[in-house]
Each structure stands twice: as C-alpha cells, then as structure tokens.
Amino acid sequence: MQKNKSPILSRVFKLILLIASVTLITVVLQIIGVPKWITIFIILMLYILVMVIRPIYIIYRSKSLRTIDRYISNNHQKPIFGYAYAMAHGSKEDIEQTLKRIMNTYTQQDMRDIYGANLALFQRNPSTLLAHAKKITGQEYQDYYSGHAYVMNNNFDAASESLAKLHTPWMVHSLKAYAALKRGNQDDYRSEMNQSINSAVGMQRYILHHIMRRHDNGDFT
C-alpha cells in the first residue's frame, strides 16, 4: 500500500509548531501582564483544543475530505484508520487485511461483528454478512447490514423491511444505493450514494466517498 509522507516527520513538525505557538502565546501574555495562573489555563485549553477536541471533530464531525484524509494518512498505522486509509489509497488486498486486523485487534464483540460485516460485504459473502449482522447489539446497525445481506441474495422484500426500520440518513441512502446497484440501475445508485455521502460526516463520509470512487473506477466490479 502506497504511503504518504512520513507520519513521524509530520508529528515532529506538529510538535515543533505547537511548542512554538505555546512559547509565543506565553511571551505575549506575560508582556501584557496576564496573571501566571490564567496563562497556564489558556495554554492548557490550547493543548486540549489541538490534541483532543480537534481530532475528535475531524473523526466524527468534519465534512472536509481533505482534512480527514490528512488526519487518516498521519495515523494509518492504527487499525481503524488503516482501514479508511486502505479504502482511499490501497488495493483490495489491503482493504481485506486491514479489516481482518481490526477484528484481530479489538475484543469488543460489536466491533468485531461490524467490521466482520464490512469484510463480508466487501467479499460478497451474504451468509457471513447476515451472521455478523444478527449479532450486532445496535439495532440500526443490525438492520443496516441485514438489509445489505438480503439485497445480496436478491431478497428485496426482506431488504425493504430492514430499510423501513432505518432512521440515519446515510444508512437509508446507502442501502437504497446498494439495492439500485444490484438491480442494475446506475442512475439511482449514483443519486442515492451521493445523498448518503452528503448526509454523512467524519470518517463515515470519507469511506462512503471512496467506496463510490472505487465503484466508478471499476474496482468493485
């Protein structure tokens, strides 16, 4: 899998930038006579903003694919980010390996079943997909992956029942897109997939975008 610039160099640059910023802010606050305890509080808040809040926002709320890609590229060694990175930059084998790595890394059963469902979906294995889906405790995720398994088996009536239970927009449109694709309706597929991407945020938006890009490039045919 092709790697972007060294994540170590990127982290070093960010650390240098953070230290320089903290130093500058500290000097400015001291010059204008801000009390020491307020200075410490401001620096602490800056650290939390940069190191904690910003990554959480990028992963779960950002709509900027470029920002998400930059963060994922710098953290692709971690299993979950490795899967997203492989979807954007790797081969089919890379995607499978990163999904298997997640399943082997995390002990939480739901994590194993959700990413196991993603692997089964990627491998077009409806029986394994449905088996994983039925074990997911989150009802909406269970219905979402079950619906995909039913579509894969051309059981559109059962898929429609699963679809009716979904409330999250990106899930609704993603399942509709897959059903349209299975029926051979490319126009409906693109329309629903675009709506799914537009209604998603963070890493989910990023992954959906690259699923559609790969389909357009013929990677999933």
Side-chain angles (χ1 to χ4, degrees):
M1 182 163 47
Q2 180 183 359
K3 307 295 184 187
N4 287 348
K5 64 182 180 179
S6 169
I8 296 177
L9 293 177
S10 177
R11 290 193 187 98
V12 170
F13 174 76
K14 287 182 179 178
L15 180 60
I16 292 173
L17 184 61
L18 180 61
I19 293 173
S21 300
V22 167
T23 302
L24 178 60
I25 292 172
T26 302
V27 170
V28 171
L29 291 177
Q30 292 300 302
I31 290 175
I32 64 178
V34 175
K36 185 176 181 180
W37 71 269
I38 295 181
T39 299
I40 294 173
F41 177 78
I42 292 174
I43 297 303
L44 180 61
M45 290 300 100
L46 176 64
Y47 177 84
I48 293 174
L49 176 65
V50 173
M51 303 302 293
V52 179
I53 297 177
R54 182 175 178 273
I56 291 175
Y57 175 81
I58 292 173
I59 296 167
Y60 295 106
R61 300 303 304 171
S62 177
K63 289 189 174 183
S64 170
L65 295 174
R66 181 178 297 181
T67 300
I68 299 168
D69 183 70
R70 189 181 305 116
Y71 183 83
I72 287 173
S73 296
N74 289 334
N75 294 274
H76 66 264
Q77 305 95 331
K78 300 175 183 178
I80 291 179
F81 300 130
Y83 162 57
Y85 185 85
M87 184 63 72
H89 303 286
S91 64
K92 292 182 180 180
E93 291 74 19
D94 292 327
I95 295 171
E96 290 192 14
Q97 288 304 314
T98 53
L99 284 168
K100 290 175 182 177
R101 184 185 174 201
I102 291 173
M103 295 177 67
N104 291 330
T105 299
Y106 295 96
T107 58
Q108 299 96 322
Q109 190 59 46
D110 261 8
M111 287 282 288
R112 293 174 59 84
D113 284 317
I114 287 174
Y115 284 96
N118 279 315
L119 178 60
L121 182 59
F122 184 75
Q123 294 175 332
R124 300 182 183 181
N125 187 330
S127 59
T128 300
L129 173 56
L130 190 58
H132 279 296
K134 293 300 185 183
K135 291 189 289 183
I136 298 173
T137 57
Q139 186 62 50
E140 195 158 27
Y141 276 96
Q142 183 181 126
D143 292 325
Y144 175 71
Y145 287 111
S146 294
H148 276 76
Y150 296 137
V151 170
M152 202 177 295
N153 278 327
N154 293 311
N155 188 346
F156 292 104
D157 289 338
S160 294
E161 292 178 7
S162 294
L163 178 63
K165 299 175 185 177
L166 299 178
H167 304 288
T168 302
W170 75 259
M171 288 185 174
V172 172
H173 293 297
S174 176
L175 183 52
K176 285 182 177 179
Y178 189 56
L181 182 64
K182 187 69 173 177
R183 289 186 170 108
N185 191 326
Q186 293 292 330
D187 290 340
D188 282 355
Y189 165 77
R190 291 192 61 81
S191 175
E192 293 294 343
M193 201 63 184
N194 276 320
Q195 291 183 72
S196 181
I197 294 167
N198 291 335
S199 61
V201 292
M203 279 182 55
Q204 189 61 59
R205 182 187 184 94
Y206 181 84
I207 289 173
L208 288 169
H209 167 79
H210 286 291
I211 287 175
M212 184 172 180
R213 178 186 62 80
R214 282 180 175 271
H215 173 265
D216 289 345
N217 291 340
D219 291 352
F220 291 156
T221 56

